[in-house]
Amino acid sequence: MNIKAHDDLLQAEMMVSFRKQKMVVSVYVIDGLLIDTGPPIMRDKLIPCFEEWAVKDVILTHHHEDHTGAAHWIQAHQNIPIYIHESGIENCEKRMKLPFYRKVFWGERQSFQPLALGDQFTTANYTWDIIHTPGHAHDHVALFNREKGWMFGSDLYVHPTPKSFFAFESVPVIIDSLKKLLTYDFDTYVCSHAGVIHKGRQVIEKKLDYLEGVQREVLALATRGKSPHAIRKTLFPKSHPLHYLSLFENSPKHIVNSILR
Ligand SMILES: [Zn+2]
């Protein structure tokens, strides 16, 4: 666990690994607001942080297990409200049925009862716009801090030029969400996996450009009569161990299929 400070923002950065797969994930606390609660496998390491930080509210950016792992513990041990987009509440109340590789990698998340987020949120010193930004997850939100002009975009960024998608992700929906983010006046972008990015607007523009380019190429090949399988082979010929490990829940075919859907 690596604790980093960026002005009044604290970042707890964790490295999770299984065999050769590695992933960095962070939770953030600012002005008494905890943003996400880390993966279940890191819960015991995060508990001392939760006890030290004077957290007053928790906002979950979406229901995925690497963002909601300690929510059950927080609800059981600290008297703090936990919020999520209304469309994610049901996912949190139920036991999460995870594919084996995600269970092994992130750990198994216990259920909890969150409250519904509105369009705006206030902490002692800040006003936050809650921006519904689906595409990575149906309940995904970004948080815009008006006073700092910082965008907390959770998993909308992660990587500028992804070559593979999860089955639950959609290129056209992510494109719409990235465009929505760019209507806000931010420069610093805070990512749950890539950390604090001071040229944040640029990286979001770059990702949007890339995905629009991919979308154009996929549609052009489909117009010429190529099958989804042939399009994937043409545009994304490389395979990655994660494709097999995930039994193709993660695969370039989801990039192509989400565009042609
Ligand atoms: Zn996620």
Side-chain angles (χ1 to χ4, degrees):
M1 174 102 48
N2 192 1
I3 307 288
K4 297 178 181 176
H6 317 261
D7 301 338
D8 58 343
L9 173 70
L10 283 182
Q11 173 186 15
E13 188 185 62
M14 300 154 270
M15 166 79 88
V16 178
S17 59
F18 179 71
R19 306 229 177 111
K20 282 181 182 163
Q21 302 295 320
K22 281 193 180 70
M23 191 91 187
V24 173
V25 58
S26 292
V27 305
Y28 295 95
V29 66
I30 174 170
D31 201 25
L33 173 64
L34 176 67
I35 300 171
D36 289 333
T37 65
I41 208 160
M42 297 303 288
R43 190 196 69 174
D44 292 348
K45 290 200 171 123
L46 279 167
I47 287 172
C49 299
F50 298 149
E51 285 171 336
E52 187 187 317
W53 299 334
V55 177
K56 292 199 173 62
D57 299 287
V58 182
I59 293 184
L60 303 169
T61 57
H62 59 297
H63 71 280
H64 287 163
E65 67 276 16
D66 49 330
H67 298 257
T68 55
H72 172 91
W73 184 90
I74 291 173
Q75 190 152 65
H77 295 91
Q78 299 181 306
N79 193 21
I80 307 169
I82 302 176
Y83 299 91
I84 197 164
H85 187 263
E86 59 178 359
S87 67
I89 292 177
E90 214 186 306
N91 299 82
C92 300
E93 290 174 340
K94 283 192 299 205
R95 194 173 151 257
M96 206 171 179
K97 281 194 213 112
L98 287 177
F100 182 71
Y101 79 105
R102 283 167 62 185
K103 225 183 286 185
V104 170
F105 193 82
W106 296 122
E108 218 170 338
R109 188 204 68 196
Q110 289 172 280
S111 59
F112 58 98
Q113 282 86 42
L115 304 165
L117 275 169
D119 295 337
Q120 233 185 63
F121 199 82
T122 49
T123 52
N125 299 292
Y126 297 125
T127 305
W128 302 78
D129 289 308
I130 310 296
I131 313 160
H132 187 213
T133 42
H136 166 72
H138 63 87
D139 60 339
H140 189 284
V141 294
L143 313 177
F144 177 63
N145 180 311
R146 286 192 191 175
E147 289 78 6
K148 291 174 84 72
W150 285 20
M151 183 64 80
F152 290 70
S154 190
D155 281 1
L156 271 186
Y157 174 65
V158 187
H159 194 278
T161 56
K163 307 284 186 289
S164 186
F165 261 41
F166 287 100
F168 47 79
E169 293 182 307
S170 160
V171 172
V173 182
I174 290 182
I175 285 176
D176 286 347
S177 288
L178 292 173
K179 285 183 179 165
K180 205 177 196 182
L181 283 196
L182 289 168
T183 65
Y184 289 79
D185 185 16
F186 70 94
D187 201 17
T188 295
Y189 181 92
V190 183
C191 175
S192 297
H193 299 284
V196 176
I197 304 168
H198 288 296
K199 289 187 172 166
R201 190 167 197 91
Q202 261 164 271
V203 300
I204 294 299
E205 281 167 350
K206 185 177 174 195
K207 181 162 186 173
L208 177 59
D209 258 15
Y210 167 78
L211 290 178
E212 286 182 326
V214 168
Q215 188 177 41
R216 273 194 301 274
E217 283 182 285
V218 168
L219 293 174
L221 291 169
T223 310
R224 280 191 255 147
K226 284 224 183 200
S227 70
H229 181 78
I231 296 172
R232 175 172 62 84
K233 289 282 179 201
T234 307
L235 298 180
F236 305 103
K238 282 194 189 151
S239 64
H240 187 276
L242 181 59
H243 305 161
Y244 299 94
L245 209 67
S246 72
L247 301 175
F248 302 97
E249 186 188 47
N250 186 286
S251 160
K253 74 176 178 187
H254 303 305
I255 294 186
V256 176
N257 294 347
S258 71
I259 293 169
L260 297 177
R261 221 165 11 229

